[in-house]
């Protein structure tokens, strides 16, 4: 008991009402910490954290990270940013502002409070990669002026800021590059492939395959990802990252559709639609660094994770 009290930290999570952020709130509350969840509810929802609102160690603040924030904390997890292409392309200027101004404000806060700060970066920094699988040393192939650029370049600039604050102001930074992650509390209309396919299958609608469905992604279950976040935050100070977190299992979108249909059953058929601009053809994380430095690797296979996610969406659609 005494140990838990002494280890309690004041932890700020930006984007804490979103998909990954809300699972991180759950985890850090369960670990005994004081959690301050900051969110402007652009894509996140109070429903994701409603069960925590009356918890004595949980606090919620409606705030946009593009504006300064003065609070006293020991650690910061910076997750605020819409993550699905449909959402981040809705207001691309705001997306870049959130990544860049948001990072500057949170780094300024970390500089003043000397808090350790974690950045949720992304596999999108690799763009449409010519190196496969992608190691952290790969610099990427990113279009700077396309419809995905607000997100990809915003996240790349945020990484630059993190490393410059580290070198210039000696901040303790922790940068992870997250590969496609799925699970309960994904937004049903966020347009991402896992939520789209499951919702379509549950409603008996056609499964929308973009392009020929031969493009690949690697899908990590949310519980595995959150474990990686916490291990990274607790790793030795000299390990800044960037480190890839993701599940190396690689599947085509046709294979994913087949797996979802097998779990859900029903009569959905496949319908083929144009491939979005700059859609990466392949993606698979090289996670050797995470294994070596964090002793981390995913445990949940795609079938098991999809079953949990299908069960969640069934409940949401019944509401
Ligand atoms: P999400 O959209 O569910 O969560 C993002 C949260 O940030 C939402 O609650 C949203 O309301 C909030 N937000 C957005 N702009 C904000 C602002 N200006 N001020 C305050 N809050 C703001 O997405 P997610 O999947 O939970 O992603 C969380 C983080 O992880 C993001 O930074 C995303 O780029 C990164 N990421 C996620 C994935 C994935 O597959 N889920 C992959 C790579 C990177
Ligand atoms: N900032 C913040 N909270 C703080 C400290 C700073 O939001 O507790 C913001 C502040 O508005 C500033 C930014 O973070 O614009 C960067 O801070 P830094 O100290 O690096 O820059 P400076 O204040 O010198 O411009
Ligand atoms: N995709 C698809 N059907 C959908 C939604 C997405 O075939 O209904 C494809 C999309 O073109 C991409 C892959 O699935 O190749 C993953 O898309 P998502 O938007 O989930 O993530 P990202 O492209 O950012 O990895």
């Amino acid at each position: 008991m005494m140990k838990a009290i002494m280890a309690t930290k004041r932890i700020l999570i930006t984007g804490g009402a979103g998909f990954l952020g809300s699972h991180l709130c759950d985890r850090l509350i369960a670990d005994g910490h004081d959690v301050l969840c900051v969110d402007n509810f652009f894509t996140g929802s109070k429903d994701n954290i409603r069960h925590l609102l009356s918890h004595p160690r949980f606090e919620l603040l409606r705030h946009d990270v593009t504006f300064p924030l003065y609070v006293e904390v020991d650690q910061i997890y910076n997750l605020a940013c819409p993550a699905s292409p449909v959402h981040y392309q809705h207001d691309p200027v705001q997306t870049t502002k959130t990544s860049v101004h948001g990072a500057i404000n949170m780094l300024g806060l970390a500089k003043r409070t000397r808090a350790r700060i974690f950045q949720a970066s992304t596999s999108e920094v690799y763009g449409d990669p010519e190196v496969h699988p992608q190691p952290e040393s790969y610099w990427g192939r990113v279009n700077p002026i396309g419809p995905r650029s607000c997100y990809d370049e915003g996240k790349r600039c945020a990484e630059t800021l993190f490393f410059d604050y580290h070198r210039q102001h000696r901040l303790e930074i922790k940068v992870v590059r997250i590969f496609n992650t799925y699970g309960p509390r994904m937004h049903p209309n966020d347009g991402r492939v896992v939520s789209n396919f499951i919702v379509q299958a549950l409603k008996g609608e056609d499964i929308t395959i973009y392009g020929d469905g031969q493009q690949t992604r690697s899908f990590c279950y949310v519980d595995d990802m959150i474990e990686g976040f916490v291990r990274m935050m607790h790793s030795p100070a000299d390990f800044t990252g960037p480190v890839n977190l993701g599940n190396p299992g690689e599947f085509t979108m046709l294979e994913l559709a087949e797996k979802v249909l097998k779990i859900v059953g029903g009569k959905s058929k496949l319908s083929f639609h144009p491939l979005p601009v700059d859609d990466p053809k392949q993606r698979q994380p090289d996670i050797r660094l995470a294994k070596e430095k964090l002793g981390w690797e995913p445990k949940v296979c795609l079938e098991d994770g999809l079953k949990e996610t299908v069960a969640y969406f069934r409940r949401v659609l019944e509401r």
Side-chain angles (χ1 to χ4, degrees), residues 144-166:
I145 57 168
R148 295 177 80 103
S149 310
C150 58
Y151 185 75
D152 302 8
E153 296 288 19
K155 289 285 189 178
R156 286 171 67 96
C157 183
E159 285 199 12
T160 306
L161 285 160
F162 268 69
F163 279 83
D164 282 333
Y165 270 79
H166 170 66

Side-chain angles (χ1 to χ4, degrees), residues 258-273:
E258 203 178 291
K259 284 187 190 298
V260 168
L261 285 173
K262 203 169 151 207
I263 294 167
V264 175
K267 300 195 211 58
S268 294
K269 297 192 172 45
L270 304 185
S271 70
F272 289 84
H273 300 263

Side-chain angles (χ1 to χ4, degrees), residues 67-71 104-113 165 169:
F67 297 99
L69 175 67
Y70 286 80
V71 289
I104 292 173
N105 287 327
M106 291 309 108
L107 287 161
L109 172 61
K111 184 180 140 203
R112 183 180 59 76
T113 58
Y165 270 79
H169 299 300

Side-chain angles (χ1 to χ4, degrees), residues 39-45 81-82 86-88 90-91 94-95 187:
D39 207 295
N40 68 351
F41 301 117
F42 174 50
T43 53
S45 159
C81 186
V86 172
H87 284 153
Y88 71 64
H90 170 75
D91 185 348
Q94 174 67 12
T95 299
H187 199 293

Side-chain angles (χ1 to χ4, degrees), residues 207-310:
I207 305 288
T208 53
I209 307 276
Y210 299 163
D212 60 8
Q214 294 297 342
Q215 70 274 35
T216 67
R217 292 293 187 275
S218 303
F219 298 101
C220 186
Y221 189 62
V222 59
D223 292 357
D224 283 330
M225 185 56 61
I226 299 300
E227 177 64 26
F229 285 10
V230 172
R231 285 186 187 221
M232 180 58 174
M233 186 57 114
H234 290 112
S235 64
D238 63 356
F239 183 54
T240 56
V243 61
N244 290 336
L245 294 180
N247 191 322
E250 184 182 357
F251 299 90
T252 67
M253 295 312 103
L254 287 174
E255 288 168 335
L256 177 70
E258 203 178 291
K259 284 187 190 298
V260 168
L261 285 173
K262 203 169 151 207
I263 294 167
V264 175
K267 300 195 211 58
S268 294
K269 297 192 172 45
L270 304 185
S271 70
F272 289 84
H273 300 263
L275 193 67
V277 176
D278 293 338
D279 198 275
K281 283 180 265 319
Q282 53 181 4
R283 193 181 286 145
Q284 189 201 89
D286 178 335
I287 60 164
R288 280 175 297 180
L289 187 65
K291 277 187 186 163
E292 181 199 324
K293 295 284 188 184
L294 309 176
W296 176 89
E297 65 183 316
K299 303 253 184 297
V300 182
C301 70
L302 186 56
E303 281 78 10
D304 290 350
L306 285 176
K307 282 181 192 156
E308 291 292 327
T309 314
V310 166

